[in-house]
Amino acid sequence: MKLALALFVVVMPGAVSAAVGLPAVTVTPAPGGGETWTLSLQVLALMTAITFLPAIFLMMTSFTRIVIVLGILRQAIGAGQSPPNQVIVGLSLFLTLFVMAPVFDRINVEALQPYMSGSLEMAAAIEKAGGPLKQFMLAQTRESDIATFVRISGGQGYATPEDVPFSILVPSFVTSELKTAFMIGFLIFIPFVIIDLVVASVLMSMGMMMLSPVLISLPFKLMLFVLVDGWSLVMGTLAASFFR
């Protein structure tokens, strides 16, 4: 629940501002010029955040890169549906939580907890919560991708990376993540393709053209992957790629 509210604080300021004008909502002036919202509005904001949470989690975290690389790895091994989709998605989810833990902790400490305790107003909480997430996304986004979407939107550029709005940063971040994921997938694919080529050449030289090279190469690919501790290498490389 806290994670949903934290992500909502980052990306849904417009919905919150519009909801303040609902007739059924009472807004009470607070000391220092702030405002206190009724519990019904807070519940409405939380329920709205939950509906957007899957899209936010997919597009604004490390999940996209991880799940694509693991999917390419499964295709490279050629083991059919092993590991199954549920395992791939679950593994991607928990590795994403590991990678994003420092960002979520900062959002919780700097924005969510002060807002829930009443020491920080919504506008200030939105600004503070957007900082850690924007820093993470900017660190993984190529400048060329940002420039592409700035040009498409007809903008003139920004003085500093922190000035880039989420409307430009999110598609740029997703584009960069797709590029990075396919680059890592290409490097993973190479040794398995080499094994397939060697096995196919050996079978051709022996005149065993009717025998499927994939059937023969699969045990060798599995053996190679296990001997080099492939899962640890892939997981470690994926996690480390976000902390460069």
Side-chain angles (χ1 to χ4, degrees):
M1 296 293 282
K2 293 182 179 180
L3 175 58
L5 184 57
L7 291 175
F8 169 77
V9 164
V10 177
V11 300
M12 290 299 295
V16 173
S17 300
V20 174
L22 292 176
V25 174
T26 302
V27 181
T28 305
E35 295 177 342
T36 301
W37 295 347
T38 59
L39 181 61
S40 59
L41 181 58
Q42 296 178 5
V43 173
L44 175 63
L46 181 59
M47 296 303 295
T48 305
I50 292 176
T51 61
F52 284 92
L53 186 59
I56 294 172
F57 192 83
L58 287 176
M59 295 293 100
M60 301 179 66
T61 65
S62 58
F63 183 85
T64 301
R65 181 190 305 184
I66 295 172
V67 74
I68 290 177
V69 170
L70 293 182
I72 293 176
L73 173 62
R74 182 174 64 180
Q75 293 182 1
I77 295 176
Q81 293 299 314
S82 182
N85 291 331
Q86 293 86 344
V87 175
I88 294 293
V89 174
L91 188 58
S92 302
L93 174 61
F94 283 101
L95 189 58
T96 298
L97 293 176
F98 170 78
V99 172
M100 299 298 296
V103 178
F104 292 152
D105 288 342
R106 286 188 57 191
I107 293 176
N108 181 60
V109 172
E110 298 177 8
L112 181 58
Q113 291 301 327
Y115 170 71
M116 296 182 65
S117 65
S119 61
L120 196 64
E121 297 181 5
M122 174 62 73
I126 292 172
E127 183 178 356
K128 286 186 173 295
L133 191 57
K134 179 176 284 190
Q135 289 179 6
F136 170 80
M137 296 172 69
L138 285 172
Q140 310 300 326
T141 306
R142 296 173 175 82
E143 294 184 3
S144 59
D145 294 325
I146 296 179
T148 298
F149 284 95
V150 170
R151 184 175 65 254
I152 294 173
S153 65
Q156 300 297 325
Y158 302 93
T160 61
E162 289 73 19
D163 295 333
V164 179
F166 278 101
S167 60
I168 298 293
L169 181 57
V170 172
S172 303
F173 170 75
V174 174
T175 303
S176 289
E177 287 295 280
L178 291 174
K179 290 181 181 178
T180 304
F182 278 95
M183 290 172 59
I184 297 175
F186 170 76
L187 297 176
I188 291 176
F189 230 109
I190 290 178
F192 297 106
V193 171
I194 292 176
I195 293 177
D196 285 334
L197 291 175
V198 171
V199 171
S201 299
V202 171
L203 291 178
M204 289 285 291
S205 63
M206 296 175 62
M208 305 174 66
M209 293 177 291
M210 300 300 294
L211 186 61
S212 174
V214 177
L215 181 64
I216 304 300
S217 63
L218 179 58
F220 292 99
K221 290 189 287 188
L222 292 177
M223 180 181 64
L224 172 66
F225 194 67
V226 171
L227 289 178
V228 300
D229 199 9
W231 286 113
S232 295
L233 288 175
V234 172
M235 294 297 131
T237 302
L238 276 174
S241 67
F242 293 97
F243 296 100
R244 51 186 172 83

